[in-house]
Amino acid sequence: MPTNRAVSYQGPGKVEVVDIDYPTFELKDGPGVHPDNVGRKVPHGVILKTVSTNICGSDQHMVRGRTTAPEGLVLGHEITGEVVETGPDVEFVKVGDIVSVPFNIACGRCRNCKEQQTGICLNVNPERPGSAYGYVDMGGWVGGQAEYVLVPYADFNCLVFPDRDQALEKILDLTMLSDIFPTGFHGAVTAGVGVGSTVYVAGAGPVGLAAAVGAQLLGAAVVIVGDLNEGRLAQARSFGCETVDVSAGPVEDQIAQILGVPEVDCGVDAVGFEARGHGKDSAQEAPATVLNSLMAVTRAGGGLGIPGLYVTGDPGAPTEDAKEGSLSLRLGLGWAKSLSFATGQCPVMKYNRALMQAILHDKVQIAKAVNAKAIPLDQAPQGYHEFDEGAATKYVLDPNGYLGTAA
Protein backbone atom coordinates (compact mmCIF):
# COMPACT_ATOMS: atom_id res chain seq x y z
CA MET A 1 0.00 0.00 0.00
CA PRO A 2 1.40 3.44 -0.90
CA THR A 3 2.50 5.85 1.75
CA ASN A 4 0.64 9.13 2.15
CA ARG A 5 2.08 12.53 3.04
CA ALA A 6 -0.04 15.57 3.80
CA VAL A 7 -0.02 19.16 5.04
CA SER A 8 -1.12 19.40 8.67
CA TYR A 9 -2.05 22.37 10.86
CA GLN A 10 0.25 22.30 13.90
CA GLY A 11 -0.90 25.39 15.76
CA PRO A 12 -1.12 29.13 15.02
CA GLY A 13 1.30 30.08 12.28
CA LYS A 14 2.62 26.57 11.72
CA VAL A 15 2.02 23.86 9.14
CA GLU A 16 4.08 20.74 8.51
CA VAL A 17 4.21 17.97 5.93
CA VAL A 18 3.54 14.76 7.86
CA ASP A 19 2.89 11.08 7.23
CA ILE A 20 -0.77 10.05 7.47
CA ASP A 21 -2.73 6.89 6.77
CA TYR A 22 -3.52 5.90 3.22
CA PRO A 23 -7.27 6.44 2.76
CA THR A 24 -9.77 3.61 3.02
CA PHE A 25 -13.51 3.43 2.40
CA GLU A 26 -14.26 4.07 6.06
CA LEU A 27 -13.87 7.23 8.14
CA LYS A 28 -11.47 6.85 11.05
CA ASP A 29 -11.05 8.91 14.18
CA GLY A 30 -8.64 11.81 13.97
CA PRO A 31 -8.25 15.57 14.48
CA GLY A 32 -11.55 17.30 13.82
CA VAL A 33 -13.55 14.17 13.00
CA HIS A 34 -17.05 14.35 14.43
CA PRO A 35 -17.67 11.35 16.72
CA ASP A 36 -20.81 10.43 14.77
CA ASN A 37 -18.75 10.16 11.58
CA VAL A 38 -16.17 7.76 13.03
CA GLY A 39 -16.63 4.36 11.41
CA ARG A 40 -18.83 5.72 8.64
CA LYS A 41 -18.66 3.44 5.60
CA VAL A 42 -17.98 5.03 2.22
CA PRO A 43 -18.68 2.37 -0.47
CA HIS A 44 -19.79 5.19 -2.76
CA GLY A 45 -16.34 6.82 -2.66
CA VAL A 46 -13.18 6.85 -4.73
CA ILE A 47 -9.55 7.24 -3.77
CA LEU A 48 -7.68 9.89 -5.73
CA LYS A 49 -3.99 10.27 -6.39
CA THR A 50 -3.77 14.02 -6.10
CA VAL A 51 -2.87 15.85 -9.30
CA SER A 52 -3.08 19.35 -7.81
CA THR A 53 -4.36 20.88 -4.59
CA ASN A 54 -4.34 24.56 -3.75
CA ILE A 55 -3.64 26.75 -0.75
CA CYS A 56 -6.76 28.80 -0.05
CA GLY A 57 -7.37 31.93 1.97
CA SER A 58 -9.86 29.92 4.00
CA ASP A 59 -7.01 27.57 4.98
CA GLN A 60 -5.01 30.63 5.98
CA HIS A 61 -7.71 31.71 8.46
CA MET A 62 -7.19 28.42 10.30
CA VAL A 63 -3.41 28.56 10.10
CA ARG A 64 -3.43 32.03 11.63
CA GLY A 65 -5.28 30.57 14.62
CA ARG A 66 -8.45 32.47 13.80
CA THR A 67 -10.77 29.46 14.09
CA THR A 68 -11.29 26.57 16.51
CA ALA A 69 -9.43 24.15 14.23
CA PRO A 70 -7.68 21.39 16.23
CA GLU A 71 -3.96 20.82 15.91
CA GLY A 72 -3.18 17.94 13.58
CA LEU A 73 -6.00 18.73 11.16
CA VAL A 74 -5.03 17.73 7.61
CA LEU A 75 -5.68 20.76 5.40
CA GLY A 76 -6.92 21.20 1.87
CA HIS A 77 -10.30 21.46 0.17
CA GLU A 78 -9.28 22.43 -3.39
CA ILE A 79 -8.64 19.05 -5.00
CA THR A 80 -8.02 17.71 -8.50
CA GLY A 81 -6.96 14.10 -8.85
CA GLU A 82 -6.68 10.84 -10.76
CA VAL A 83 -8.97 8.01 -9.67
CA VAL A 84 -6.89 5.02 -8.52
CA GLU A 85 -9.55 3.00 -6.70
CA THR A 86 -13.35 2.94 -6.67
CA GLY A 87 -15.72 1.74 -3.96
CA PRO A 88 -18.17 -1.10 -4.70
CA ASP A 89 -21.13 1.27 -5.10
CA VAL A 90 -19.47 3.55 -7.67
CA GLU A 91 -20.97 3.05 -11.14
CA PHE A 92 -19.82 5.80 -13.47
CA VAL A 93 -16.50 7.23 -12.31
CA LYS A 94 -13.66 5.00 -13.51
CA VAL A 95 -10.06 4.29 -12.52
CA GLY A 96 -7.85 6.58 -14.58
CA ASP A 97 -10.34 9.46 -14.77
CA ILE A 98 -8.96 12.92 -14.00
CA VAL A 99 -11.56 14.73 -11.91
CA SER A 100 -12.23 18.01 -10.18
CA VAL A 101 -13.69 17.74 -6.68
CA PRO A 102 -15.97 20.48 -5.37
CA PHE A 103 -14.85 21.63 -1.94
CA ASN A 104 -18.44 21.10 -0.76
CA ILE A 105 -19.02 17.49 0.21
CA ALA A 106 -22.55 16.61 -0.86
CA CYS A 107 -24.58 13.42 -0.78
CA GLY A 108 -26.72 14.14 -3.85
CA ARG A 109 -29.71 12.61 -2.07
CA CYS A 110 -31.03 15.12 0.45
CA ARG A 111 -33.50 17.91 -0.23
CA ASN A 112 -30.84 20.60 -0.41
CA CYS A 113 -28.64 18.68 -2.84
CA LYS A 114 -31.64 18.01 -5.08
CA GLU A 115 -32.28 21.76 -5.12
CA GLN A 116 -28.63 22.49 -6.11
CA GLN A 117 -27.78 23.77 -2.64
CA THR A 118 -24.79 21.44 -2.32
CA GLY A 119 -23.00 23.83 0.04
CA ILE A 120 -25.52 22.95 2.75
CA CYS A 121 -25.95 19.19 2.29
CA LEU A 122 -27.91 17.71 5.18
CA ASN A 123 -26.23 14.30 5.37
CA VAL A 124 -22.45 14.67 5.45
CA ASN A 125 -21.82 16.69 8.62
CA PRO A 126 -23.53 15.64 11.87
CA GLU A 127 -22.84 19.08 13.38
CA ARG A 128 -24.74 21.29 10.91
CA PRO A 129 -25.62 21.57 7.21
CA GLY A 130 -22.62 21.75 4.91
CA SER A 131 -19.25 20.07 4.82
CA ALA A 132 -15.81 20.38 3.26
CA TYR A 133 -12.51 18.53 3.18
CA GLY A 134 -9.90 19.46 5.77
CA TYR A 135 -11.87 22.22 7.42
CA VAL A 136 -12.88 23.08 10.96
CA ASP A 137 -16.38 22.03 12.09
CA MET A 138 -17.10 20.40 8.74
CA GLY A 139 -17.46 16.81 9.88
CA GLY A 140 -13.81 15.80 9.82
CA TRP A 141 -13.38 14.61 6.25
CA VAL A 142 -9.61 14.39 5.70
CA GLY A 143 -8.13 17.22 3.65
CA GLY A 144 -6.71 16.97 0.18
CA GLN A 145 -3.33 18.68 0.55
CA ALA A 146 -2.00 15.15 0.44
CA GLU A 147 -0.70 12.53 -1.96
CA TYR A 148 -3.97 10.57 -1.74
CA VAL A 149 -7.48 11.50 -0.60
CA LEU A 150 -10.89 9.87 -0.20
CA VAL A 151 -13.85 11.45 -2.04
CA PRO A 152 -17.32 10.25 -0.93
CA TYR A 153 -20.44 10.07 -3.12
CA ALA A 154 -18.09 10.07 -6.09
CA ASP A 155 -20.63 9.61 -8.87
CA PHE A 156 -22.30 12.81 -7.68
CA ASN A 157 -19.30 14.87 -6.56
CA CYS A 158 -16.64 14.20 -9.18
CA LEU A 159 -16.51 16.33 -12.32
CA VAL A 160 -14.77 14.11 -14.87
CA PHE A 161 -12.65 15.91 -17.44
CA PRO A 162 -13.50 14.65 -20.93
CA ASP A 163 -9.93 14.30 -22.20
CA ARG A 164 -6.96 13.39 -19.98
CA ASP A 165 -4.24 15.01 -22.12
CA GLN A 166 -6.21 18.23 -22.55
CA ALA A 167 -6.91 18.32 -18.83
CA LEU A 168 -3.25 17.97 -17.88
CA GLU A 169 -2.32 20.63 -20.44
CA LYS A 170 -4.74 23.09 -18.81
CA ILE A 171 -4.43 21.83 -15.25
CA LEU A 172 -3.42 25.16 -13.68
CA ASP A 173 -6.72 26.59 -14.93
CA LEU A 174 -8.82 23.51 -14.19
CA THR A 175 -7.52 23.20 -10.62
CA MET A 176 -9.37 26.44 -9.85
CA LEU A 177 -12.73 24.69 -10.47
CA SER A 178 -12.72 23.04 -7.04
CA ASP A 179 -13.29 26.34 -5.24
CA ILE A 180 -12.09 29.80 -6.11
CA PHE A 181 -13.35 30.15 -9.68
CA PRO A 182 -16.91 28.97 -8.91
CA THR A 183 -16.82 30.84 -5.59
CA GLY A 184 -15.80 34.13 -7.21
CA PHE A 185 -18.26 33.55 -10.04
CA HIS A 186 -21.01 32.82 -7.49
CA GLY A 187 -20.25 36.13 -5.81
CA ALA A 188 -20.73 37.92 -9.12
CA VAL A 189 -23.88 35.99 -10.03
CA THR A 190 -25.55 36.54 -6.66
CA ALA A 191 -24.66 40.24 -6.78
CA GLY A 192 -26.67 40.44 -9.99
CA VAL A 193 -23.83 41.12 -12.43
CA GLY A 194 -24.96 41.19 -16.06
CA VAL A 195 -24.19 42.82 -19.38
CA GLY A 196 -23.20 46.44 -18.81
CA SER A 197 -22.99 46.23 -15.01
CA THR A 198 -20.60 48.29 -12.95
CA VAL A 199 -19.08 46.14 -10.20
CA TYR A 200 -17.00 46.74 -7.10
CA VAL A 201 -15.11 43.71 -5.77
CA ALA A 202 -13.71 44.17 -2.27
CA GLY A 203 -10.51 42.14 -1.95
CA ALA A 204 -7.83 41.31 -4.53
CA GLY A 205 -6.86 37.92 -3.17
CA PRO A 206 -7.47 34.87 -5.37
CA VAL A 207 -11.23 34.75 -4.73
CA GLY A 208 -11.57 38.47 -5.39
CA LEU A 209 -9.61 38.15 -8.63
CA ALA A 210 -11.78 35.16 -9.58
CA ALA A 211 -14.89 37.25 -8.85
CA ALA A 212 -13.52 39.97 -11.12
CA VAL A 213 -12.92 37.44 -13.91
CA GLY A 214 -16.41 36.06 -13.31
CA ALA A 215 -17.91 39.54 -13.58
CA GLN A 216 -16.11 40.08 -16.87
CA LEU A 217 -17.36 36.72 -18.13
CA LEU A 218 -20.91 37.78 -17.24
CA GLY A 219 -20.57 40.93 -19.32
CA ALA A 220 -19.76 43.66 -16.79
CA ALA A 221 -18.85 47.00 -18.35
CA VAL A 222 -16.47 48.02 -15.56
CA VAL A 223 -14.98 45.92 -12.75
CA ILE A 224 -13.30 47.82 -9.90
CA VAL A 225 -11.21 45.90 -7.36
CA GLY A 226 -10.31 47.33 -3.96
CA ASP A 227 -7.50 46.24 -1.65
CA LEU A 228 -4.62 47.45 0.53
CA ASN A 229 -1.97 45.37 -1.27
CA GLU A 230 -0.45 47.08 -4.30
CA GLY A 231 0.93 43.82 -5.70
CA ARG A 232 -2.53 42.28 -5.71
CA LEU A 233 -4.06 45.42 -7.18
CA ALA A 234 -1.49 45.26 -9.97
CA GLN A 235 -2.57 41.69 -10.62
CA ALA A 236 -6.18 42.91 -10.99
CA ARG A 237 -5.10 45.58 -13.45
CA SER A 238 -3.23 42.97 -15.49
CA PHE A 239 -6.50 41.63 -16.91
CA GLY A 240 -8.39 44.87 -17.34
CA CYS A 241 -9.79 45.81 -13.94
CA GLU A 242 -9.83 49.28 -12.45
CA THR A 243 -8.51 49.45 -8.89
CA VAL A 244 -8.83 51.45 -5.69
CA ASP A 245 -6.46 51.50 -2.74
CA VAL A 246 -8.77 51.45 0.27
CA SER A 247 -6.04 52.92 2.47
CA ALA A 248 -5.85 56.04 0.31
CA GLY A 249 -9.24 57.53 1.03
CA PRO A 250 -13.00 56.91 0.87
CA VAL A 251 -13.92 54.14 -1.56
CA GLU A 252 -16.90 56.08 -2.92
CA ASP A 253 -14.66 59.03 -3.85
CA GLN A 254 -12.28 56.76 -5.74
CA ILE A 255 -15.18 55.05 -7.51
CA ALA A 256 -16.50 58.46 -8.52
CA GLN A 257 -13.14 59.28 -10.11
CA ILE A 258 -13.49 56.15 -12.25
CA LEU A 259 -17.20 56.12 -13.07
CA GLY A 260 -18.26 59.73 -12.59
CA VAL A 261 -20.68 58.64 -9.87
CA PRO A 262 -19.86 57.33 -6.37
CA GLU A 263 -21.74 54.06 -6.70
CA VAL A 264 -21.85 50.75 -8.56
CA ASP A 265 -24.63 48.39 -9.59
CA CYS A 266 -23.23 45.34 -7.83
CA GLY A 267 -20.85 44.63 -4.94
CA VAL A 268 -18.86 41.52 -4.00
CA ASP A 269 -17.26 40.85 -0.60
CA ALA A 270 -14.22 38.66 -1.20
CA VAL A 271 -12.53 39.56 2.10
CA GLY A 272 -14.58 38.12 4.96
CA PHE A 273 -14.15 38.32 8.69
CA GLU A 274 -10.49 39.43 8.88
CA ALA A 275 -11.23 42.72 7.11
CA ARG A 276 -9.25 45.85 7.93
CA GLY A 277 -10.50 49.38 8.22
CA HIS A 278 -10.34 51.84 5.36
CA GLY A 279 -8.45 55.10 5.01
CA LYS A 280 -6.56 56.12 8.14
CA ASP A 281 -7.88 53.01 9.95
CA SER A 282 -6.44 50.54 7.45
CA ALA A 283 -3.81 49.27 9.87
CA GLN A 284 -6.49 48.01 12.24
CA GLU A 285 -8.80 45.04 11.94
CA ALA A 286 -12.46 46.06 11.63
CA PRO A 287 -14.47 43.02 10.53
CA ALA A 288 -17.67 44.85 9.50
CA THR A 289 -15.90 47.47 7.39
CA VAL A 290 -16.17 45.74 4.02
CA LEU A 291 -19.85 44.91 4.35
CA ASN A 292 -20.70 48.42 5.48
CA SER A 293 -18.59 49.94 2.69
CA LEU A 294 -20.31 47.75 0.10
CA MET A 295 -23.73 48.86 1.32
CA ALA A 296 -22.60 52.47 1.03
CA VAL A 297 -21.28 52.23 -2.54
CA THR A 298 -23.90 49.93 -4.09
CA ARG A 299 -26.82 51.75 -5.70
CA ALA A 300 -30.34 51.48 -4.33
CA GLY A 301 -31.88 48.26 -5.57
CA GLY A 302 -28.49 46.68 -6.19
CA GLY A 303 -27.12 43.40 -4.88
CA LEU A 304 -24.29 42.13 -2.71
CA GLY A 305 -22.66 38.77 -3.25
CA ILE A 306 -20.77 37.68 -0.14
CA PRO A 307 -18.47 34.71 -0.82
CA GLY A 308 -15.98 36.05 1.76
CA LEU A 309 -15.83 33.75 4.78
CA TYR A 310 -17.54 34.64 8.06
CA VAL A 311 -17.32 32.26 11.03
CA THR A 312 -19.28 31.59 14.21
CA GLY A 313 -16.14 31.24 16.32
CA ASP A 314 -13.05 33.48 16.03
CA PRO A 315 -10.77 33.38 19.09
CA GLY A 316 -8.52 36.10 17.64
CA ALA A 317 -11.24 38.66 16.92
CA PRO A 318 -10.76 42.25 18.12
CA THR A 319 -14.00 42.34 20.17
CA GLU A 320 -16.01 39.92 22.27
CA ASP A 321 -18.96 40.16 19.90
CA ALA A 322 -16.78 39.44 16.87
CA LYS A 323 -15.42 36.34 18.59
CA GLU A 324 -18.81 34.74 18.04
CA GLY A 325 -19.41 36.25 14.61
CA SER A 326 -21.55 39.19 15.75
CA LEU A 327 -20.64 42.25 13.70
CA SER A 328 -21.80 45.86 13.85
CA LEU A 329 -23.55 46.12 10.49
CA ARG A 330 -25.44 49.12 9.11
CA LEU A 331 -28.39 46.91 8.26
CA GLY A 332 -30.70 49.93 8.30
CA LEU A 333 -28.74 51.37 5.37
CA GLY A 334 -29.05 48.12 3.44
CA TRP A 335 -32.77 47.98 4.18
CA ALA A 336 -33.34 51.61 3.20
CA LYS A 337 -31.59 51.01 -0.14
CA SER A 338 -33.49 47.74 -0.79
CA LEU A 339 -30.23 45.86 -1.28
CA SER A 340 -30.23 42.11 -1.75
CA PHE A 341 -27.70 39.95 0.10
CA ALA A 342 -26.44 36.46 -0.71
CA THR A 343 -24.14 34.67 1.73
CA GLY A 344 -22.74 31.24 2.47
CA GLN A 345 -20.68 28.55 0.78
CA CYS A 346 -20.73 28.55 -2.99
CA PRO A 347 -22.61 25.52 -4.37
CA VAL A 348 -19.70 24.61 -6.63
CA MET A 349 -21.57 22.02 -8.69
CA LYS A 350 -24.00 24.70 -9.86
CA TYR A 351 -21.19 26.29 -11.89
CA ASN A 352 -18.17 24.01 -12.30
CA ARG A 353 -19.18 22.20 -15.50
CA ALA A 354 -19.96 25.42 -17.38
CA LEU A 355 -16.76 27.05 -16.14
CA MET A 356 -14.82 23.93 -17.19
CA GLN A 357 -16.18 24.39 -20.70
CA ALA A 358 -15.13 28.03 -20.68
CA ILE A 359 -11.60 26.97 -19.75
CA LEU A 360 -11.36 24.08 -22.22
CA HIS A 361 -12.59 26.29 -25.07
CA ASP A 362 -10.24 29.17 -24.24
CA LYS A 363 -12.88 31.66 -23.13
CA VAL A 364 -11.07 32.43 -19.88
CA GLN A 365 -7.55 32.14 -18.40
CA ILE A 366 -8.21 32.00 -14.69
CA ALA A 367 -4.74 30.70 -13.72
CA LYS A 368 -3.09 33.71 -15.33
CA ALA A 369 -5.56 36.07 -13.68
CA VAL A 370 -4.81 34.77 -10.18
CA ASN A 371 -1.08 34.29 -10.90
CA ALA A 372 -1.05 30.54 -10.22
CA LYS A 373 2.28 29.03 -9.21
CA ALA A 374 2.91 25.30 -8.83
CA ILE A 375 5.17 24.13 -6.00
CA PRO A 376 6.04 20.69 -4.58
CA LEU A 377 4.23 19.46 -1.47
CA ASP A 378 7.37 19.90 0.64
CA GLN A 379 7.26 23.64 -0.07
CA ALA A 380 3.75 24.02 1.37
CA PRO A 381 4.96 25.69 4.60
CA GLN A 382 6.86 28.26 2.53
CA GLY A 383 3.83 28.77 0.31
CA TYR A 384 1.60 29.37 3.34
CA HIS A 385 4.11 31.86 4.72
CA GLU A 386 4.45 33.82 1.46
CA PHE A 387 0.69 33.88 0.96
CA ASP A 388 0.20 35.15 4.50
CA GLU A 389 2.75 37.89 3.81
CA GLY A 390 0.55 39.13 0.95
CA ALA A 391 2.08 37.50 -2.13
CA ALA A 392 -0.04 38.15 -5.22
CA THR A 393 0.09 34.44 -6.00
CA LYS A 394 -2.23 31.44 -5.96
CA TYR A 395 -0.10 28.53 -4.74
CA VAL A 396 -0.85 25.15 -6.33
CA LEU A 397 0.64 22.12 -4.61
CA ASP A 398 1.96 19.24 -6.74
CA PRO A 399 2.11 16.23 -4.39
CA ASN A 400 2.80 13.57 -7.03
CA GLY A 401 4.78 15.33 -9.73
CA TYR A 402 2.03 15.62 -12.34
CA LEU A 403 2.88 19.29 -12.84
CA GLY A 404 6.61 18.75 -13.17
CA THR A 405 7.55 20.85 -10.13
CA ALA A 406 9.11 18.09 -7.99
CA ALA A 407 12.86 18.41 -7.68
Side-chain angles (χ1 to χ4, degrees):
M1 182 176 293
T3 59
N4 195 16
R5 299 165 66 242
V7 180
S8 173
Y9 169 64
Q10 297 292 314
K14 187 176 182 182
V15 298
E16 290 182 358
V17 178
V18 300
D19 293 322
I20 64 171
D21 290 338
Y22 185 82
T24 66
F25 296 107
E26 178 180 326
L27 281 188
K28 299 176 182 178
D29 198 6
V33 179
H34 193 283
D36 292 345
N37 262 351
V38 175
R40 183 171 182 163
K41 300 293 192 292
V42 191
H44 41 69
V46 297
I47 295 172
L48 299 185
K49 185 176 184 180
T50 304
V51 172
S52 59
T53 177
N54 316 326
I55 296 174
C56 179
S58 298
D59 298 319
Q60 200 74 65
H61 292 308
M62 290 188 292
V63 172
R64 292 187 187 120
R66 295 300 297 268
T67 72
T68 56
E71 293 185 11
L73 184 73
V74 174
L75 300 168
H77 55 271
E78 300 189 9
I79 307 165
T80 305
E82 178 177 5
V83 178
V84 294
E85 190 174 351
T86 62
D89 290 351
V90 176
E91 291 188 75
F92 307 112
V93 177
K94 306 299 183 185
V95 170
D97 284 343
I98 304 291
V99 302
S100 177
V101 181
F103 79 89
N104 326 107
I105 301 173
C107 72
R109 306 171 184 183
C110 70
R111 173 181 176 176
N112 286 350
C113 285
K114 290 177 180 178
E115 295 178 356
Q116 289 192 303
Q117 298 185 82
T118 52
I120 43 175
C121 173
L122 301 174
N123 289 330
V124 288
N125 182 0
E127 189 71 27
R128 63 188 184 197
S131 189
Y133 304 87
Y135 211 83
V136 59
D137 296 332
M138 288 293 184
W141 298 86
V142 177
Q145 288 175 12
E147 292 172 322
Y148 296 88
V149 63
L150 171 68
V151 174
Y153 301 102
D155 282 327
F156 184 66
N157 284 307
C158 290
L159 175 65
V160 179
F161 298 139
D163 182 272
R164 177 190 179 91
D165 292 340
Q166 184 187 32
L168 292 176
E169 180 183 339
K170 294 180 177 289
I171 196 62
L172 281 182
D173 291 293
L174 294 172
T175 193
M176 306 306 165
L177 292 174
S178 57
D179 183 356
I180 68 160
F181 195 13
T183 292
F185 190 76
H186 178 65
V189 168
T190 54
V193 177
V195 174
S197 296
T198 56
V199 186
Y200 175 57
V201 178
V207 169
L209 296 175
V213 171
Q216 292 175 337
L217 199 58
L218 289 164
V222 182
V223 180
I224 304 169
V225 180
D227 206 294
L228 298 158
N229 183 316
E230 175 51 35
R232 292 180 173 181
L233 291 175
Q235 188 63 32
R237 290 192 292 272
S238 75
F239 58 94
C241 297
E242 302 285 347
T243 60
V244 300
D245 179 348
V246 300
S247 69
V251 172
E252 53 267 39
D253 291 350
Q254 296 185 65
I255 288 175
Q257 291 174 9
I258 296 167
L259 298 178
V261 292
E263 62 182 15
V264 293
D265 299 318
C266 314
V268 180
D269 174 4
V271 179
F273 72 105
E274 287 192 72
R276 292 181 179 273
H278 290 175
K280 60 182 175 55
D281 297 321
S282 60
Q284 300 174 348
E285 189 170 316
T289 299
V290 168
L291 289 170
N292 287 329
S293 174
L294 283 168
M295 285 190 280
V297 303
T298 302
R299 68 170 179 84
L304 304 184
I306 308 173
L309 176 67
Y310 289 87
V311 296
T312 56
D314 174 10
T319 69
E320 290 302 312
D321 284 343
K323 287 180 180 179
E324 58 180 28
S326 296
L327 307 182
S328 184
L329 298 179
R330 294 188 65 194
L331 190 58
L333 175 62
W335 187 92
K337 296 177 75 173
S338 295
L339 299 176
S340 63
F341 297 75
T343 66
Q345 285 188 39
C346 166
V348 169
M349 293 176 66
K350 190 172 182 178
Y351 308 107
N352 63 351
R353 184 173 297 278
L355 294 176
M356 174 189 75
Q357 293 288 77
I359 290 169
L360 294 178
H361 293 282
D362 299 318
K363 300 301 182 186
V364 66
Q365 293 180 302
I366 185 64
K368 183 178 180 181
V370 301
N371 194 27
K373 178 182 179 181
I375 60 174
L377 188 70
D378 286 334
Q379 291 182 17
Q382 179 182 341
Y384 268 96
H385 174 72
E386 292 177 2
F387 188 40
D388 193 44
E389 291 293 303
T393 304
K394 177 66 173 178
Y395 290 95
V396 178
L397 302 180
D398 180 14
N400 289 298
Y402 284 87
L403 310 185
T405 62

